Amino acid sequence: MAAIETDALMRRYGEVVAVDSVDLTVEQGEVFGFLGPNGAGKSTLINMLLDYTPPTSGEARVFGHRTRGEAVDIRERVGVLPDGYQLYERLSGRRHLEFVAGARQADDDPADVLDRVGLDPDDADRNAGDYSKGMAQRLVLGMALIGQPDLLILDEPSTGLDPNGIRLMRDVIREEVDRGATVFFSSHILSQVEAVCDRVGVMNQGRLIEVAALDEIRDAIGVGTTLHVTVDQQPKLTLSDLEAMDDVTNAEADGPDLTLTLSDSTAKARVVSRIEEAGATVTDFETTESSLEDLFAELIDEDEAVEEASA
Amino acid sequence: MRDRRLVVMARKDFDDAIRSKTVWFISGIFALLVVGITYQLSQAVPPDFPQSAIPFVALNGVAQWISWVVSILSLVAGYASVISERRSGSMKILLGLPFERAEVLVGKMLGRTAVIAVSVAAGFVTVALSIVVFIGVPELADFLWRFLGLFFLTVLLGAVYTTLAVSVSAVVSTRRRAMLSVVALFFITQAVWTGFTQFVYLFFGGGSVPLRPPDWYLFLTYLAPSAAYTRAASALDLLVRHPSLAIDGVPRRAAQAQQSGSFLLSEYLAFLVLILWAVLGGLLAYNVFRNADLG
């Protein structure tokens, strides 16, 4: 049984289609990164998974439970860090944790939870109305961990966190996965997804335009590591010879400068020695790792080009 | 297991709402008002009035005002309960937990009612103290059951208005609309209800309401929650018959209802009417709220 499964899930707001017929499956035990620019429909889809928002059509299931009608069964197994939440200003951080433990009928020790998310016990006794965004985010992460949920849904979890907080978030996600939990988290900041995710789904304008493992996406789009090589003379091989090598997806030449796209960055040593074997001396070389940002921009450009072509 | 969740929900809401300064501000005014009324009554009692009955008169006098204060207090404490959580996003935390939407509503109704109960209890302690100070120690056997009876009935009235306020809060889409709606609810149930019943009489009774209107007409006037509260309160036998109080002590409507013997005007039915307001209001609200987009 999949952790998350959606069938032609759709949500309209008047004329606007926030989520457009999305079919998505997230298996148990994986860390799934849910990407897309702000307004792509990520939060609306998450809202439907938790039954905050009823779908216009289609269906979603979490651990086999339908979101419409079985939301409580779902929420019993899911810890949530929602987007755009607010704490109860008049209640202390500790009272928040106690409330969640009560609702989940879990016996987690608030002190342990505070420790895991790096909140000071003194701060836990203050009213949540006085919390900074970062403290609030840590508290809500702690609340999501209570009761050892089988699935963590984290919507833009790095919002308001400093680099320390982001590192902590990453560590917590790893700990939870090691425990056997599934993690589904959305972000528009891609480097954070890159660091922890097994697979990613990319949303744009309500549609799920790609679901794949990160390296598959790199291969598919042909961006990965870029190797820039400068040679002193023309080597005795053609660009096609270079492209025929393993892990080389593209080769271009501009005078003495060669640009090669590699799907595996370790291929660069082989490429350099191949060029030198062919009689040229490499006078300079440099590699640039294309970030997920590039992948992402490329995906969205492609998607929008397709849209325009079909329109 | 499900009951326990309801308790968790209600307790959270109680802890949250009881820290609201507005509730305590209104409760303070309530207490002051009670002291003032009891003092006034203690001064206004005619010299030949039986001493033992004065505390009942005081209770009855207070009861008239309580229905106003408690309805305002409950509406104020409840109108934002759901909509502000929706607007601020704390509803997302709430519904990330294993609560049914019905449990969220009922939990809030219970939690806020508990807050009102605390406030009413504080008010009633003030009533008891004021009576002892301004009037004298009442005969406990006669006084206590009436006092406690009125207390529970007042908490029930508070529960009804709280339920209505939470219901309004669950169906509107902005805080402002919630506020306007409870203000409207207050005026309809408290101020213009008799105007409404007179209008009905114009159609079905033919003309203006006579001095001794038919039972069905009185029944209509007693359908408003606060009127039902006063009708039910008469089961506590607070109305003292005495020549000097013939008009002020026992209003004409109450006297007629008391003597009528019709089931339509019985205290039991008034009690049921109160409960019906809460149940119907809650069900209507749930019907909208269960499918609302809370994202």
Side-chain angles (χ1 to χ4, degrees), chain A residues 45-60:
Chain A
L45 189 133
I46 289 176
N47 286 345
M48 287 192 280
L49 293 179
L50 295 165
D51 196 34
Y52 297 156
T53 299
T56 307
S57 64
E59 191 181 75

Side-chain angles (χ1 to χ4, degrees), chain A residues 11 13 47 51-54 68 72 75-76 83-86 88 90 95 99-100 102-105 143, chain B residues 1 5 12 15-16 19 85 88-90 92-101 291-295:
Chain A
R11 174 70 208 194
Y13 291 99
N47 286 345
D51 196 34
Y52 297 156
T53 299
R68 297 300 288 161
V72 169
R75 292 179 196 140
E76 271 174 2
D83 185 33
Y85 63 82
Q86 197 182 0
Y88 295 104
R90 296 187 288 244
R95 182 69 182 84
F99 172 53
V100 175
R104 292 198 175 284
Q105 301 179 17
M143 287 157 67
Chain B
M1 186 158 136
R5 284 208 175 116
K12 192 283 297 174
D15 285 357
D16 192 21
R19 286 169 169 77
E85 287 218 29
S88 74
S90 53
K92 288 187 174 175
I93 289 179
L94 209 54
L95 284 181
L97 299 170
F99 291 117
E100 300 277 4
R101 290 188 181 196
N291 289 316
D293 183 350
L294 307 176

Side-chain angles (χ1 to χ4, degrees), chain A residues 162-188:
Chain A
D162 56 15
N164 275 331
I166 291 175
R167 205 168 310 128
L168 177 127
M169 178 75 64
R170 208 174 287 167
D171 291 345
V172 167
I173 289 175
R174 292 209 177 98
E175 285 161 21
E176 290 296 294
V177 174
D178 289 346
R179 175 174 69 72
T182 309
V183 178
F184 180 88
F185 86 96
S186 80
S187 183
H188 66 283

Side-chain angles (χ1 to χ4, degrees), chain A:
Chain A
M1 186 199 344
I4 295 173
E5 226 176 326
T6 73
D7 282 333
L9 194 64
M10 161 102 80
R11 174 70 208 194
R12 281 174 197 282
Y13 291 99
E15 288 294 293
V16 181
V17 183
V19 171
D20 189 356
S21 193
V22 168
D23 295 298
L24 171 69
T25 305
V26 176
E27 297 301 335
Q28 293 194 33
E30 72 174 324
V31 184
F32 191 89
F34 196 41
L35 296 170
N38 285 325
K42 303 186 301 286
S43 287
T44 305
L45 189 133
I46 289 176
N47 286 345
M48 287 192 280
L49 293 179
L50 295 165
D51 196 34
Y52 297 156
T53 299
T56 307
S57 64
E59 191 181 75
R61 287 177 300 278
V62 177
F63 295 117
H65 297 294
R66 285 175 296 106
T67 56
R68 297 300 288 161
E70 296 172 6
V72 169
D73 299 305
I74 291 174
R75 292 179 196 140
E76 271 174 2
R77 298 183 64 182
V78 178
V80 186
L81 193 164
D83 185 33
Y85 63 82
Q86 197 182 0
L87 295 166
Y88 295 104
E89 294 178 357
R90 296 187 288 244
L91 300 180
S92 71
R94 196 178 298 278
R95 182 69 182 84
H96 278 79
L97 295 175
E98 285 165 5
F99 172 53
V100 175
R104 292 198 175 284
Q105 301 179 17
D107 49 8
D108 296 54
D109 183 352
D112 293 343
V113 179
L114 291 171
D115 189 47
R116 277 192 77 188
V117 298
L119 263 186
D120 198 298
D122 290 338
D123 288 335
D125 292 324
R126 284 164 53 196
N127 279 354
D130 302 336
Y131 280 20
S132 68
K133 183 71 181 112
M135 288 163 72
Q137 197 75 353
R138 284 167 190 252
L139 179 64
V140 178
L141 175 65
M143 287 157 67
L145 299 177
I146 287 177
Q148 304 211 328
D150 298 321
L151 169 64
L152 278 170
I153 295 184
L154 313 174
D155 198 355
E156 299 281 354
S158 59
T159 311
L161 290 179
D162 56 15
N164 275 331
I166 291 175
R167 205 168 310 128
L168 177 127
M169 178 75 64
R170 208 174 287 167
D171 291 345
V172 167
I173 289 175
R174 292 209 177 98
E175 285 161 21
E176 290 296 294
V177 174
D178 289 346
R179 175 174 69 72
T182 309
V183 178
F184 180 88
F185 86 96
S186 80
S187 183
H188 66 283
I189 305 168
L190 312 164
S191 52
Q192 286 154 18
V193 174
E194 206 166 14
V196 285
C197 286
D198 304 325
R199 282 203 308 153
V200 295
V202 180
M203 271 195 97
N204 189 40
Q205 298 181 343
R207 278 169 307 112
L208 187 63
I209 57 176
E210 182 79 57
V211 180
L214 272 179
D215 42 0
E216 279 175 33
I217 292 191
R218 284 204 180 95
D219 288 352
I221 314 182
V223 280
T225 304
T226 308
L227 176 64
H228 303 277
V229 180
T230 310
V231 290
D232 62 342
Q233 62 178 70
Q234 171 80 41
K236 291 186 193 61
L237 45 63
T238 63
L239 290 175
S240 329
D241 292 335
L242 287 171
E243 280 176 352
M245 291 177 70
D246 285 347
D247 303 322
V248 177
T249 51
N250 190 33
E252 282 167 32
D254 181 14
D257 298 318
L258 300 172
T259 304
L260 298 113
T261 309
L262 312 177
S263 57
D264 182 354
S265 66
T266 59
K268 61 180 178 255
R270 281 188 286 123
V271 171
V272 169
S273 58
R274 176 78 197 269
I275 291 171
E276 299 214 310
E277 280 163 19
T281 304
V282 172
T283 55
D284 191 17
F285 79 93
E286 183 188 34
T287 57
T288 47
E289 194 79 25
S290 67
S291 68
L292 202 47
E293 262 87 1
D294 301 331
L295 291 178
F296 188 57
E298 188 132 346
L299 270 174
I300 290 189
D301 284 350
E302 264 179 32
D303 177 54
E304 278 163 11
V306 171
E307 275 286 274
E308 275 163 30
S310 64

